Amino acid sequence: MTPAKLAEAVLAAAHAVFQERGLDQSALPETTAVERPRNPEHGDYASTVALQLAKKVGLPPRELATGLADQLTRIPGIKSVEIAGPGFLNIRLDPAAAGQLARAVVEAGKAYGHSEVFAGQKINLEFVSANPTGPVHIGGVRWAAVGDALSRLLRATGAEVGTEYYFNDAGSQIDRFARSLLAAAKGEPAPEDGYGGAYIADIAGAVVAKRPDVLQLDEAAAQEVFRVEGVALMFDEIKNSLADFGVRFDTYFNEKDLHDRGELDLALDRLREQGRIFESEGAIWLRSTDFGDDKDRVLRKSNGEWTYFAADCAYYLDKRERGFDRVVIMLGADHHGYIGRLRAMAACFGDDPDKTLEILIGQMVNLVREGQPMRMSKRAGTVVTLEDLVDAIGVDAARYALARYSSDSPIDIDVELWTRASRDNPVYYVQYVAARTASVGRNAAEVGLARGDAAAFRPELLAHEKENDLLKALGDYPAVLASAAELREPHRVARYLEDLAGSYHRFYDNCRILPHGDEEITDLHRARLWLNDATRTVIANGLELLGVSAPERM
């Protein structure tokens, strides 16, 4: 019996009690949940539903709990129900009901843990969004890992998700990039405000190889060639490096398209219709202070130029016009000040920012070697890049390390730790279980042990304490996914997988799966193989959500 099925049983018991006593059925919730008690002596699962409902119907909680316990103990698979404290229900399952979970997990396969919690929600998830002036730096890599994991989580829990990378191939940054390329091609030092690093020389060389005549052009024409060709080459490199990291976007959105399609004027008209526009000193302003911004914002300067914030407004409106119910934007640690203005902007369009806009802020990342932060890149000069991180610890370790911590906390990635083949390396610890469970499966096949027909599975044999602990850990997985998606915290999946790995190791050490020597193969061996394979399924599913492989051998 899965936790979800048990929760349904608790709710059905509540319906029966309410009907039996003539209580107001409208007080019943549509769903409820059960959770594992901190102390295993209090049972397999606990419910607080009696405490939640008693006040609504004017009954003492323990009296309502007594009725619920009576109903629950009539359900096959529930061994006992005890009432604790003011009305907690402590529920114990019989071994057969608990053990059925192993078969349910194996039969569900990749779908185990998936749900429709966020079905009907259409979410736009924007992350990384670095302009094509250099390789992705380590802060952007954090958002690549977390954002991609979050998109997978949201899809696994029923949401329709569009991932998006927003960039600008015009403006002052791009001008500095083009001038830096031109200088490198001429063998001159980078401009004072330009970009350095070997990658500039590499791209400049590639542009010259493609356009051998470029250095014969006048300065302005040459710079334009380096801008167009250099940006294209740089952006291809960014896309390829992210793809090698396992991150691909549904949409790459160029800010220039907003201008070309007249979307800034459209956004201005929409804001004017909402009564949020005013003019002062020849400029056009958004009255964002109406919704808590610290100051009103200029959209169009007195010289007719649009501001960056005007493009932000048009881009938000574009996403909403494309049918996204919720716009989620992941920003770096230096963007806290954007939260208030973006929320005010959404409100100025007539939206409720609590429902349509979400800003996530990620903190800094340091790559640490021998106790010291790495400050220099082999190729990019002054910043540590995606390439540096992957070269140091590999894709799997990098993705796991970046997704393992809450994104609002700074992290240090210790190269020595994350490359160590030992249990204190979290990704090794989890992947080792993936490999061990696969190895058990191979060894079982060699001795003629197979799970057998599902109908012949005897879940009641999984009665050992460590088997029960592992089953309960497997049962937690769907709830972990739902909470991780709701809270936008993929690190909860990583921490869960580490706990699950620990439960499997303790099961493996105490419960022999394979027969020894000429020992006869029994139903207990088969039942334990079901449990082994269920663990492999959940470990692989969880790692896939984090963009990490589940190796069959290590």
Side-chain angles (χ1 to χ4, degrees), residues 215-228:
L215 295 180
Q216 276 73 57
L217 302 176
D218 65 64
E219 187 89 0
Q223 185 173 317
E224 179 61 13
V225 170
F226 278 104
R227 187 191 72 78
V228 173

Side-chain angles (χ1 to χ4, degrees), residues 179-180 182-184 186-192 195:
R179 285 190 282 109
S180 301
L182 178 56
K186 291 179 175 180
E188 299 173 355
E192 188 174 332
Y195 295 90

Side-chain angles (χ1 to χ4, degrees), residues 189-479:
E192 188 174 332
D193 61 347
Y195 295 90
Y199 80 95
I200 289 291
D202 292 343
I203 293 174
V207 173
V208 172
K210 187 175 181 181
R211 288 288 305 272
D213 65 327
V214 65
L215 295 180
Q216 276 73 57
L217 302 176
D218 65 64
E219 187 89 0
Q223 185 173 317
E224 179 61 13
V225 170
F226 278 104
R227 187 191 72 78
V228 173
E229 300 293 348
V231 164
L233 289 167
M234 188 72 253
F235 205 37
D236 282 345
E237 181 178 319
I238 289 171
K239 290 179 182 178
N240 290 335
S241 65
L242 287 170
D244 291 343
F245 197 57
V247 178
R248 295 170 177 82
F249 290 86
D250 298 317
T251 302
Y252 292 91
F253 196 107
N254 190 339
E255 180 186 325
K256 182 175 180 291
D257 293 340
L258 295 172
H259 293 269
D260 292 347
R261 296 196 296 247
E263 293 195 37
L264 280 79
D265 287 302
L266 178 64
L268 183 59
D269 291 343
R270 189 72 59 87
L271 291 166
R272 187 174 277 116
E273 289 169 8
Q274 294 289 326
R276 305 300 174 190
I277 296 298
F278 69 98
E279 296 189 21
S280 177
E281 299 176 352
I284 299 174
W285 297 68
L286 178 68
R287 204 181 299 279
S288 54
T289 53
D290 287 352
F291 297 100
D293 195 5
D294 58 348
K295 62 181 180 181
D296 292 326
R297 304 285 169 177
V298 176
L299 298 179
R300 198 163 199 169
K301 301 175 186 177
S302 57
N303 63 4
E305 290 182 4
W306 294 102
T307 63
Y308 287 122
F309 187 64
D312 291 339
C313 294
Y315 187 37
Y316 171 80
L317 181 61
D318 181 275
K319 290 176 178 179
R320 295 284 286 126
E321 293 288 297
R322 280 185 273 148
F324 289 104
D325 309 308
R326 195 171 189 88
V327 173
V328 181
I329 307 172
M330 297 178 157
L331 298 174
D334 56 345
H335 285 71
H336 271 283
Y338 281 64
I339 297 175
R341 76 185 69 166
L342 291 175
R343 284 178 56 83
M345 170 202 68
C348 286
F349 277 116
D351 285 344
D352 179 349
D354 289 335
K355 296 178 180 178
T356 64
L357 181 65
E358 195 171 338
I359 310 295
L360 305 179
I361 300 292
Q363 293 301 318
M364 300 297 291
V365 182
N366 286 313
L367 186 60
V368 176
R369 192 187 294 273
E370 297 178 354
Q372 297 298 317
M374 294 173 58
R375 300 297 185 196
M376 299 291 286
S377 167
K378 291 176 292 185
R379 188 158 174 267
T382 57
V383 292
V384 176
T385 68
L386 169 54
E387 181 183 45
D388 298 321
L389 178 61
V390 170
D391 284 349
I393 64 175
V395 171
D396 277 350
R399 290 203 56 154
Y400 194 97
L402 291 165
R404 184 178 184 260
Y405 301 92
S406 174
S407 56
D408 60 6
S409 300
I411 55 174
D412 290 335
I413 298 178
D414 188 314
V415 172
E416 283 73 25
L417 170 66
W418 287 96
T419 53
R420 197 176 297 153
S422 65
R423 63 180 301 153
D424 58 343
N425 175 353
V427 71
Y428 179 87
Y429 185 62
V430 174
Q431 286 185 317
Y432 187 78
V433 171
R436 172 171 270 185
T437 51
S439 174
V440 167
R442 290 191 299 271
N443 293 336
E446 288 178 4
V447 300
L449 170 61
R451 293 194 306 261
D453 187 82
F457 172 53
R458 295 186 59 192
E460 71 276 8
L461 298 177
L462 299 175
H464 191 282
E465 176 190 0
K466 301 306 179 187
E467 293 166 338
N468 190 252
D469 289 344
L470 180 54
L471 285 162
K472 285 190 281 190
L474 293 171
D476 288 340
Y477 182 63

